[in-house]
Amino acid sequence: MLEVLSPQPQDKILQLIAMFRDDPRPGKIDLGVGVYRDATGLTPVMRAVKAAERRLWEVETTKTYTGLAGEPAFNAALAAMILGPGLADRTASVATPGGTGAIRQGLELVKMAAPGATVWVSAPTWPNHPSIIRYLGMKLAEYRYFDAATCDVDFDGLIEDLGRVARGDVVLLHGCCHNPTGANLTMEQWGRVVQVLQARGAVPFVDLAYQGFGDGLEEDAAATRLIAGAFDEVVIAASCSKNFGIYRERTGILIALGDPARKAVVQGNLAWLNRQNYSFPPDHGARLVTMILGDPALTAAWKAELEEVRRSMLDLRRQLANALRQATNSGRFDFVARHRGMFSRLGLSEAQVQRLRDEAGIYMVGDSRINIAGLNARTVPVLAAAVARVLAA
Ligand code: LMR
């Protein structure tokens, strides 16, 4: 049986982790995988998470199974953080193993409910989106999103392509902090996207992996809330990996908004899907999140640290845009300060990205996506000088 298997393509993001690890050069810089790092290069356990873990150790009396959908308190707290109040009667939800688990379960739900639907993704998007869609044998289409010349959103192209979506198709949207580009829609532009998708009869599927990393916890949920209020049916996949810094705990949620009269059936289908794939979702991270969101002091501590993280990335963006302005003697990279979230796509060629790796030990994804949080005050000018060098050659 196993002899028929052929090698799978390497994941371009995860592959960088090993390449970076195996590089012996002391000055190497990792701008690859989307993991927050502080100025010393560490990915700390957030203070509120540590406090919740301590408390959990004391109060947890059993490790028996949770419900198939996860703990209701987790689902309610996280759904409220994402959607705000007032939608509980439309909200079916399950805890999932991270954001990827939520995407996977969400796509399986779509496949069950609308097997013929095409799933539209932005060009470009997080590579795992098309990979899972193809793996599930679903139809895939792309809408334009990024203008390679300006490194901003190609809004005209986006609207034109969304105008071709067929009734019942599913459109995957990044709720905030677009990955990989860092270019995001204004709320006015989101309003227009909603109008077009409503006119087409599409079903929005929001991927919300970076809430709190862009303009703020509430601000980053604004587009998702706009969509939730505007459509009868919405699928939302959200991750706690980044905003709670609990990457390896695999903590996420899949939300399906629909007709309140159908909520119990949808909820049953979500729980059934969990049973088919892994039975019970991971609990530890979900329990920490529930404790933090349920305790005003822990919530305040967590929000304060998340805001520190967000501001440090904004500061690095400003530093990098300035350094690139000086190093290249141009405003070509000013978009870095306008972008939001963890990533920016710099607009370099694959060959230039390769040279940065070979000659300067700077690791970024082949499409020139950088993780802003991989930088610090010392490495910002190093990156800017290296970029200027490969551009000049
Ligand atoms: C990323 O885009 O780097 C992160 O979401 C990590 C991953 O799983 O790809």
Side-chain angles (χ1 to χ4, degrees):
M1 170 183 87
L2 301 180
E3 68 276 6
V4 305
L5 297 177
S6 49
Q8 294 292 339
Q10 294 247 37
D11 183 287
K12 289 196 167 59
I13 298 172
L14 303 185
Q15 185 182 19
L16 283 175
I17 298 175
M19 286 167 74
F20 181 79
R21 189 195 52 218
D22 296 342
D23 186 335
R25 287 174 288 182
K28 61 187 178 176
I29 300 172
D30 180 6
L31 307 178
V33 69
V35 169
Y36 174 74
R37 276 191 230 100
D38 65 15
T40 68
L42 280 176
T43 304
V45 181
M46 293 177 89
R47 295 186 286 271
V49 169
K50 265 285 184 222
E53 280 188 317
R54 233 174 270 127
R55 198 178 295 175
L56 182 59
W57 183 81
E58 281 173 2
V59 300
E60 190 172 55
T61 51
T62 180
K63 295 274 188 194
T64 189
Y65 293 124
T66 57
L68 271 183
E71 282 293 317
F74 167 75
N75 296 359
L78 196 58
M81 184 181 113
I82 294 163
L83 295 169
L87 291 177
D89 62 332
R90 295 178 55 207
T91 305
S93 62
V94 280
T96 57
T100 303
I103 301 270
R104 170 70 188 264
Q105 298 297 77
L107 287 167
E108 294 219 22
L109 183 76
V110 169
K111 194 175 168 186
M112 279 165 65
T118 296
V119 183
W120 291 72
V121 299
S122 62
T125 192
W126 184 49
N128 221 12
H129 286 155
S131 176
I132 297 174
I133 294 165
R134 286 199 190 96
Y135 176 65
L136 291 175
M138 301 171 81
K139 283 189 274 181
L140 174 69
E142 286 188 332
Y143 58 85
R144 273 172 287 171
Y145 184 83
F146 189 62
D147 182 337
T150 62
C151 290
D152 277 314
V153 174
D154 173 6
F155 191 63
D156 291 342
L158 167 74
I159 292 298
E160 197 180 316
D161 287 353
L162 293 185
R164 296 190 290 111
V165 168
R167 173 161 294 278
D169 278 357
V170 172
V171 178
L172 188 42
L173 301 155
H174 299 229
C176 67
C177 306
H178 187 267
N179 179 7
T181 68
N184 295 291
L185 298 172
T186 63
M187 281 315 288
E188 204 183 336
Q189 289 173 327
W190 274 114
R192 183 87 186 93
V193 166
V194 164
Q195 278 174 358
V196 173
L197 294 183
Q198 278 178 325
R200 303 303 302 170
V203 178
F205 186 138
V206 181
D207 181 356
L208 191 63
Y210 296 89
Q211 187 184 352
F213 270 36
D215 290 312
L217 199 60
E218 296 296 313
E219 292 83 347
D220 290 350
T224 306
R225 291 177 189 179
L226 177 75
I227 291 165
F231 291 83
D232 292 337
E233 294 186 339
V234 182
V235 180
I236 301 164
S239 169
C240 299
S241 297
K242 327 275 166 162
N243 49 13
F244 286 86
I246 49 174
Y247 306 84
R248 64 174 63 168
E249 301 297 352
R250 311 312 297 139
T251 308
I253 190 170
L254 173 65
I255 295 172
L257 293 177
D259 180 351
R262 301 282 302 156
K263 175 176 160 170
V265 176
V266 177
Q267 183 64 46
N269 275 268
L270 293 180
W272 180 85
L273 268 177
N274 266 8
R275 182 63 168 159
Q276 307 319 302
N277 283 327
Y278 39 77
S279 285
F280 304 92
D283 181 66
H284 185 71
R287 213 160 274 273
L288 299 175
V289 169
T290 314
M291 283 181 110
I292 292 170
L293 294 179
D295 178 308
L298 286 181
T299 305
W302 167 68
K303 282 186 177 170
E305 190 168 355
L306 179 60
E307 192 58 11
E308 280 169 31
V309 164
R310 188 182 78 81
R311 285 182 185 277
S312 79
M313 287 189 293
L314 275 184
D315 192 41
L316 284 166
R317 288 190 172 282
R318 280 189 288 268
Q319 288 181 39
L320 181 60
N322 283 338
L324 283 164
R325 185 173 263 270
Q326 281 172 19
T328 64
N329 208 15
S330 80
R332 168 177 171 170
F333 293 100
D334 285 0
F335 60 83
V336 170
R338 285 196 303 277
H339 283 175
R340 284 294 178 273
M342 213 168 204
F343 307 115
S344 270
R345 183 185 264 203
L346 293 182
L348 305 175
S349 67
E350 287 253 5
Q352 288 165 333
V353 169
Q354 176 82 39
R355 282 194 53 199
L356 286 170
R357 193 154 62 226
D358 295 346
E359 296 169 19
I362 296 174
Y363 286 73
M364 64 183 72
V365 186
D367 63 1
S368 74
R369 184 194 85 167
I370 59 167
N371 170 12
I372 290 287
L375 290 165
N376 58 40
R378 186 188 61 78
T379 55
V380 161
V382 177
L383 171 64
V387 168
R389 265 199 314 278
V390 299
L391 286 176

